[in-house]
Amino acid sequence: MKEAPHDASLSTAIRRFVIVGHNARTDGEFNLKDIPGTSGRLDVLARCVTAGLLLSNGIRKDTLVYLLLRGLPGPAKALRFEGKHVKNLNPDERSSSSLIQNALRIPVSPGGWLQAGPGIDVALAERPLFDKEFGGLRRIVMAEDGESIGNVSLRNAVMILGGHTDLIEEDVGLLGSEGATRVSLGSRSLHADHCVTVAHHIMDSKVG
Amino acid sequence: MKEAPHDASLSTAIRRFVIVGHNARTDGEFNLKDIPGTSGRLDVLARCVTAGLLLSNGIRKDTLVYLLLRGLPGPAKALRFEGKHVKNLNPDERSSSSLIQNALRIPVSPGGWLQAGPGIDVALAERPLFDKEFGGLRRIVMAEDGESIGNVSLRNAVMILGGHTDLIEEDVGLLGSEGATRVSLGSRSLHADHCVTVAHHIMDSKVG
């Protein structure tokens, strides 16, 4: 298994989403016929990957989606989906869950990302990994009690979301989000994948 | 099978989405293990139902989602999901596809909606059905070449989307959308379910 390449061309215009799955299984041992019931709600994360990366006619090449999986059996793992390089990503949930499953079955050890497929990398989830990955970028946490997203610059930032539960202290420690800006998308409480879609829409609107 | 109740309390503040599936099978004979490959892309429609009706902590009781299925074996069918009454709707695609499948297996004949389950109705898709359902409401078609959604009132309207293909003349005839306003969500071409999510966000923002 070769080490994942470091892409030096990643500029600050890149959009980055991190979705935390507190119960998401780390070993890929779940049943594709019952993803919500057997994977620790990896279905939520799978929908976030497609919401983050897919356009109707292609891929958002300017976007990276990270999943932080903190369920059984552990230790916690991170997955990275890079729009610029990802292939075989289809909009249906079973297909993206299958990509996640395959990546989780790769043995990992401390020290960095391993390539699991085109544009898909896996790693042990450790603070140094995220420090290196997000160094110099502001952390923005999506939270219902946060500041209106319209008032916050989303550039040079990582957007962090809970999957189907709120973030807890251990997440903050791993992701280095101690001083994060809390940002709200509006008055309604949305599913994580719908938050990703809305955040993209807002950034698309600002660009043009 | 009892006739679906007519809900006289439906006010003009209700949000209505219609998603057209040109290839979507009308008989429910598809495999839940391979929804995209066997159902005529009913997976797209299933995601639109959850994008239309689900909040993180509940259901959008002010929303109706209609699916227009025009694939094999025919004749075309319509499904109606009413947020106010729907039950057992989970966010995962397999679960919502299964609700669709069960509804499509109910024999229908001309004349109106039949109840397929709580808040889920099925009918033969005919012009009089939609004329009655949408009488007096403006038709808005989501289209990339349309007017910016920010400039268009979305009240007293039905929002119509193609599933994974654009609308064609037969759709216009069925839905009575001859004089529809064409509306664009922005510069990027989005999947239908993402369009529903963004449209909701825009309406949520206008409300408060």
Side-chain angles (χ1 to χ4, degrees):
Chain A
M1 194 62 52
K2 64 179 174 175
E3 195 179 335
H6 179 71
D7 190 340
S9 69
L10 286 182
S11 83
T12 53
I14 295 289
R15 303 178 186 180
R16 296 172 185 81
F17 295 93
V18 181
I19 303 96
V20 182
H22 285 137
N23 304 318
R25 283 197 73 87
T26 59
D27 58 1
E29 295 308 310
F30 57 88
N31 185 344
L32 288 171
K33 291 185 202 168
D34 179 15
I35 304 167
T38 62
S39 69
R41 297 307 308 275
L42 258 164
D43 61 305
V44 180
L45 306 186
R47 289 193 295 275
C48 288
V49 170
T50 47
L53 294 182
L54 292 186
L55 291 166
S56 173
N57 50 6
I59 302 270
R60 288 186 183 267
K61 292 187 187 299
D62 60 353
T63 301
L64 288 154
V65 176
Y66 300 83
L67 306 181
L68 171 52
L69 297 85
R70 304 199 45 236
L72 294 172
K77 283 190 190 166
L79 293 173
R80 178 173 66 184
F81 293 79
E82 196 172 349
K84 197 169 171 184
H85 299 298
V86 77
K87 291 204 169 80
N88 310 320
L89 179 63
N90 294 313
D92 67 298
E93 206 167 292
R94 185 185 167 100
S95 164
S96 42
S97 296
S98 174
L99 289 178
I100 291 172
Q101 185 170 59
N102 291 338
L104 290 175
R105 285 178 169 162
I106 292 173
V108 290
S109 49
W113 299 101
L114 286 176
Q115 191 167 17
I120 306 178
D121 305 306
V122 60
L124 283 177
E126 297 174 317
R127 173 73 182 246
L129 181 91
F130 293 111
D131 276 351
K132 186 175 172 192
E133 193 76 20
F134 302 143
L137 300 172
R138 286 181 308 123
R139 272 60 159 181
I140 290 178
V141 172
M142 293 204 190
E144 288 170 50
D145 62 353
E147 194 173 349
S148 170
I149 194 166
N151 302 334
V152 176
S153 165
L154 304 177
R155 290 187 72 85
N156 305 334
V158 187
M159 311 198 69
I160 302 170
L161 301 84
H164 74 296
T165 52
D166 285 335
L167 299 181
I168 58 173
E169 202 172 307
E170 284 92 331
D171 307 326
V172 174
L174 270 172
L175 296 169
S177 58
E178 291 83 358
T181 308
R182 294 172 71 81
V183 162
S184 163
L185 292 172
S187 57
R188 303 283 189 120
S189 175
L190 304 182
H191 279 284
D193 56 317
H194 298 163
C195 290
V196 171
T197 298
V198 169
H200 263 319
H201 169 73
I202 289 167
M203 291 189 273
D204 291 344
S205 304
K206 283 186 178 177
V207 169
Chain B
M1 194 61 52
K2 63 180 176 175
E3 195 179 333
H6 179 68
D7 189 340
S9 70
L10 285 183
S11 82
T12 52
I14 294 289
R15 302 177 186 181
R16 296 172 185 82
F17 294 94
V18 181
I19 303 96
V20 181
H22 286 137
N23 303 318
R25 283 196 73 87
T26 58
D27 58 1
E29 296 307 311
F30 58 89
N31 186 343
L32 287 170
K33 291 185 202 169
D34 179 13
I35 304 167
T38 61
S39 69
R41 295 309 307 276
L42 257 165
D43 61 305
V44 180
L45 306 187
R47 289 193 295 277
C48 288
V49 171
T50 47
L53 294 183
L54 291 187
L55 290 166
S56 173
N57 50 6
I59 301 271
R60 288 186 183 267
K61 293 188 186 300
D62 60 353
T63 301
L64 288 154
V65 176
Y66 300 84
L67 305 181
L68 171 52
L69 296 85
R70 304 200 44 237
L72 294 172
K77 282 191 190 167
L79 293 174
R80 177 173 67 182
F81 293 79
E82 195 173 350
K84 197 171 170 183
H85 298 299
V86 77
K87 291 204 169 79
N88 310 319
L89 179 63
N90 294 312
D92 67 295
E93 205 167 293
R94 185 186 168 100
S95 164
S96 42
S97 296
S98 175
L99 289 179
I100 292 172
Q101 186 171 58
N102 291 338
L104 290 175
R105 285 176 170 164
I106 291 173
V108 288
S109 49
W113 298 102
L114 286 176
Q115 191 168 16
I120 307 178
D121 306 304
V122 58
L124 282 177
E126 298 174 315
R127 173 74 183 244
L129 181 91
F130 293 110
D131 277 350
K132 186 176 172 192
E133 193 75 19
F134 302 143
L137 300 171
R138 287 180 307 123
R139 271 60 160 180
I140 291 179
V141 171
M142 292 206 191
E144 288 170 50
D145 62 355
E147 193 173 348
S148 170
I149 193 167
N151 302 334
V152 176
S153 166
L154 304 177
R155 291 186 70 86
N156 305 334
V158 187
M159 310 200 69
I160 302 169
L161 300 85
H164 75 294
T165 53
D166 285 335
L167 299 180
I168 58 173
E169 203 172 306
E170 284 91 333
D171 307 325
V172 174
L174 269 173
L175 296 169
S177 58
E178 292 84 358
T181 307
R182 293 172 70 82
V183 162
S184 163
L185 292 173
S187 57
R188 303 282 187 117
S189 174
L190 305 182
H191 279 283
D193 56 318
H194 298 163
C195 290
V196 171
T197 298
V198 169
H200 263 317
H201 169 73
I202 290 166
M203 289 189 275
D204 291 343
S205 305
K206 283 187 180 176
V207 170

